[in-house]
């Protein structure tokens, strides 16, 4: 199940409209108001396999409320005594086009404040705008594509436009010492639940 959160109700209303427009099954999504400056609801503690954030740190005066929410909500990944490697149960992914300094601050706060392991990478996404298929009728275009498939012919595709955008990505998970309930010991910054 997917949980979408936002601190503003009007944005959640827009999210509902978009989900309805694309016929996304309502049984697979939950919406909720979440204010990073408030206590993390207990039902969210150590609960999420994957948290995705997009451009959450741009323009924030501090990343602390976001980091605290992620740290307490993300599933722990403790290592059993018999294991030599940690099995990661919860991952945080943040992607943004903002300044790299905000990502460095996010990474530092995750690491120093909440003992989370993280890495940053730069990624380039390309948007390709293809030339349209020219045919007199839809039937003619369909027949041409079918003929190319049957003959295993790969027709050259022309591009109208290619755009490249660079983004920063940060992936993080809990240190193996955190077991979901010992945040007061493992998290150096403390913080409130």
């Amino acid at each position: 199940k997917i949980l979408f959160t936002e601190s503003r109700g009007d944005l959640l209303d827009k999210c509902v409209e978009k989900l309805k427009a694309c016929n996304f099954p309502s049984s697979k999504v939950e919406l909720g108001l979440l204010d990073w400056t408030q206590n993390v609801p207990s039902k969210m503690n150590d609960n999420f396999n994957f948290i995705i954030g997009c451009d959450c740190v741009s323009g924030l005066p501090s990343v602390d409320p976001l980091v605290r929410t992620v740290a307490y909500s993300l599933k722990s990944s403790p290592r059993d005594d018999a294991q030599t490697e940690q099995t990661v149960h919860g991952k945080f992914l943040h992607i943004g086009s903002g300044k790299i300094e905000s990502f460095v601050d996010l990474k530092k706060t995750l690491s120093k404040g909440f003992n989370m392991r993280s890495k940053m990478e730069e990624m380039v996404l390309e948007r390709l705008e293809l030339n349209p298929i020219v045919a007199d009728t839809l039937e003619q275009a369909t027949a041409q594509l079918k003929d190319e498939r049957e003959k295993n012919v790969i027709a050259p595709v022309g591009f109208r436009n290619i755009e490249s955008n660079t983004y920063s990505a940060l992936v993080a998970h809990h240190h193996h010492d955190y077991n979901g309930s010992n945040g007061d010991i493992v998290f150096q910054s403390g913080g409130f639940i």
Side-chain angles (χ1 to χ4, degrees), residues 15 32 58 74 91 98 104 120-121 140 164 176:
C15 186
S58 299
L74 197 62
K91 284 189 179 180
V104 171
M120 279 187 347
E121 294 197 17
Q140 196 177 28
S164 293
H176 62 82

Side-chain angles (χ1 to χ4, degrees), residues 158-176:
F159 297 100
R160 242 187 216 178
N161 190 22
I162 300 175
E163 290 179 25
S164 293
N165 292 303
T166 303
Y167 296 90
S168 297
L170 181 136
V171 179
H173 65 273
H174 281 293
H175 185 273
H176 62 82

